[in-house]
Amino acid sequence: MNLELDAEQTAVRQLARDFVDREIAPHVVAWDRAEAVDRSLVKKLGEVGFLGLTVAEEYGGSGGDHLAYCLVTEELGRGDSSVRGIVSVSLGLVAKTIAGWGDAEQKRRWLPGLTSGDLVGCFGLTEPGTGSDAGNLTTRAVRDGDTYVINGTKTFITNGTWADVVLLFARSTDAPGHQGVSAFLVPADAPGLARRPIHGKLGLRGQATAELAFEDVRVPADALLGTEGKGFSVAMSALAKGRMSVAAGCVGIARAALDAAVRYAGEREQFGKPIARHQLVQELLSDIAVDVDAARLLTWRVADLIDRGEPFAVESSKAKLFASEAAVRAASNALQVFGGYGYIDEYPVGKLLRDARVMTLYEGTSQIQKLLIGRALTGVSAF
Ligand code: FAD
């Protein structure tokens, strides 16, 4: 694997850095306090091509490889994890999954809007009773002539109140466990679909997280994405790539923590010298720096495997596991460097820690990633 970026990758990284500094950084604190990213940002993300990365140009995509996608995702994660998550879900989990599993009509209907930022997608897998155990979800989609009738509740859905289309996972046959699950593309304005915002999150406060309640929601049979009964494979394939995107976002968090901590350590003086000259503070900084590099290399390996058409799911779990734990460690170490000031909202590291904390929970908790890695090592499933 060549770790040197080519000219196109270098350019897209610079584009992302400039975009973050211009369009995101000045608003981060206000969006966090308001619990809402400015929705008009989605259109800007589309215009600059960040919602179409790796998607074919005929569907409005901006092409690029998965390393370029990681570079942009890292920069967005450095700027604001709330924004990074909006992109990771609408593009990473929804648009890319439609591109991979959809028929020509589904691609034509949804992809140009999603890649341009005119539409937003959300990913409806988790339910109140099934989080890690997603294969046992209970939302039902019952065939009725040329339609399916959907009933059930999804929770913790990122972009939930913003979304125009829900990539929904529901049980449509009586087959046991994940074998009965199918994937559907449900317009978010379908009658019977109610959306309730979830407030009071520890971090990612700018994101529109919601509970979605489906009561006799009727969709045409052609809303089925992929084959009936293969919905769990659709979900797992989306999450395998999604975990790389979370990992790249975590590299961004850790980098933001490093930048802030190094700067502060050079300015703050105690015992007559900058705290950067105290060796135990240097230890904190070096621990963050190693976490940044290690997390990034694990993440880039996943991108490289995807771009070469090799299996990548286990490597994606490793990257997500390490990078998410590293982001929490890095943000916490940075907060330590800031001392008491790190605990105050006015300084950036508290938000980094709040935002990092969820990364070990969603798209499969750290425990679930370990079980996936363990299964690959032993051939034995602990699920
Ligand atoms: P549980 O599954 O109840 O787990 C609780 C604890 O038990 C965890 O520590 C877990 O690791 C542990 N545990 C569970 N099973 C095992 C096991 N077999 N072995 C060992 N330990 C185990 N979901 C979506 O579908 N779409 C979204 O867009 C989305 N966005 C989210 C955004 C936010 C901010 C949050 C907080 C969540 C989001 N989620 C989303 C849901 C997320 O994916 C779930 O919260 C996650 O999968 C964990 O499920 P749970 O919360 O029900 O925890």
Side-chain angles (χ1 to χ4, degrees):
M1 178 183 177
N2 181 4
L3 294 176
E4 200 179 342
L5 301 182
D6 65 26
E8 204 174 317
Q9 291 159 342
T10 306
V12 82
R13 183 176 63 179
Q14 192 58 48
L15 187 68
R17 282 186 179 162
D18 294 344
F19 184 88
V20 165
D21 292 344
R22 190 180 64 249
E23 302 288 352
I24 296 177
H27 311 290
V28 169
V29 174
W31 290 341
D32 188 56
R33 288 185 182 153
E35 286 195 52
V37 167
D38 184 345
R39 171 97 196 233
S40 67
L41 185 75
V42 176
K43 189 71 193 147
K44 292 179 184 170
L45 286 161
E47 282 165 3
V48 78
F50 295 164
L51 289 169
L53 286 163
T54 78
V55 177
E57 287 175 15
E58 66 175 303
Y59 297 113
S62 46
D65 54 23
H66 284 81
L67 186 50
Y69 178 54
C70 285
L71 295 169
V72 171
T73 311
E74 177 182 328
E75 294 305 323
L76 294 177
R78 172 181 71 84
D80 188 350
S81 288
S82 289
V83 176
R84 195 280 302 161
I86 292 165
V87 174
S88 287
V89 171
S90 196
L91 165 62
L93 293 183
V94 180
K96 286 187 188 201
T97 307
I98 296 172
W101 292 82
D103 60 29
E105 173 53 24
Q106 288 168 333
K107 292 181 195 176
R108 191 204 55 74
R109 178 171 180 195
W110 295 114
L111 287 181
L114 288 168
T115 54
S116 66
D118 288 330
L119 301 179
V120 171
C122 72
F123 185 82
L125 180 64
T126 302
E127 299 181 356
T130 55
S132 301
D133 190 13
N136 277 315
L137 59 83
T138 61
T139 295
R140 298 285 316 196
V142 177
R143 185 78 190 237
D144 180 24
D146 286 343
T147 63
Y148 285 91
V149 181
I150 300 168
N151 281 282
T153 303
K154 298 289 174 180
T155 196
F156 292 140
I157 306 305
T158 303
N159 297 344
T161 50
W162 280 16
D164 301 282
V165 57
V166 186
L167 172 48
L168 178 78
F169 300 92
R171 187 166 297 287
S172 70
T173 75
D174 290 330
H178 64 79
Q179 295 164 36
V181 175
S182 300
F184 297 90
L185 293 168
V186 182
D189 60 0
L193 171 49
R195 303 190 267 179
R196 185 182 67 81
I198 298 174
H199 291 295
K201 297 197 297 287
L202 178 66
L204 300 187
R205 291 183 179 162
Q207 274 178 14
T209 310
E211 182 178 275
L212 309 184
F214 296 78
E215 199 179 326
D216 292 332
V217 172
R218 204 171 272 274
V219 292
D222 63 11
L224 183 72
L225 182 70
T227 312
E228 177 141 46
K230 293 289 177 204
F232 201 66
S233 299
V234 175
M236 291 305 109
S237 74
L239 289 173
K241 279 189 185 162
R243 286 168 186 149
M244 176 191 71
S245 163
V246 173
C250 288
V251 178
I253 294 176
R255 232 182 81 218
L258 182 63
D259 292 349
V262 167
R263 201 176 320 115
Y264 186 80
E267 292 164 359
R268 174 73 172 170
E269 292 196 359
Q270 289 293 285
F271 299 95
K273 56 184 176 186
I275 59 170
R277 288 175 59 194
H278 298 302
Q279 289 179 345
L280 294 179
V281 172
Q282 290 202 0
E283 181 188 44
L284 290 168
L285 299 176
S286 79
D287 284 352
I288 304 173
V290 173
D291 270 337
V292 170
D293 286 358
R296 185 186 286 127
L297 288 172
L298 282 172
T299 306
W300 283 15
R301 179 173 67 170
V302 184
D304 180 59
L305 288 169
I306 297 175
D307 287 333
R308 287 192 291 111
E310 299 287 333
F312 62 90
V314 181
E315 271 58 41
S316 197
S317 283
K318 290 178 190 169
K320 195 268 182 184
L321 170 64
F322 184 85
S324 60
E325 299 285 347
V328 175
R329 246 185 341 258
S332 181
N333 280 336
L335 196 149
Q336 194 70 19
V337 171
F338 272 72
Y341 295 95
Y343 205 64
I344 307 296
D345 202 20
E346 202 181 318
Y347 293 84
V349 286
K351 177 178 182 296
L352 293 175
L353 183 57
R354 287 191 285 107
D355 286 349
R357 195 59 193 81
V358 77
M359 306 299 165
T360 70
L361 300 174
Y362 67 15
E363 300 210 19
T365 65
S366 289
Q367 287 71 32
I368 295 302
Q369 304 311 326
K370 287 178 185 175
L371 294 181
L372 292 170
I373 297 163
R375 183 175 67 186
L377 290 171
T378 63
V380 179
S381 175
F383 292 109

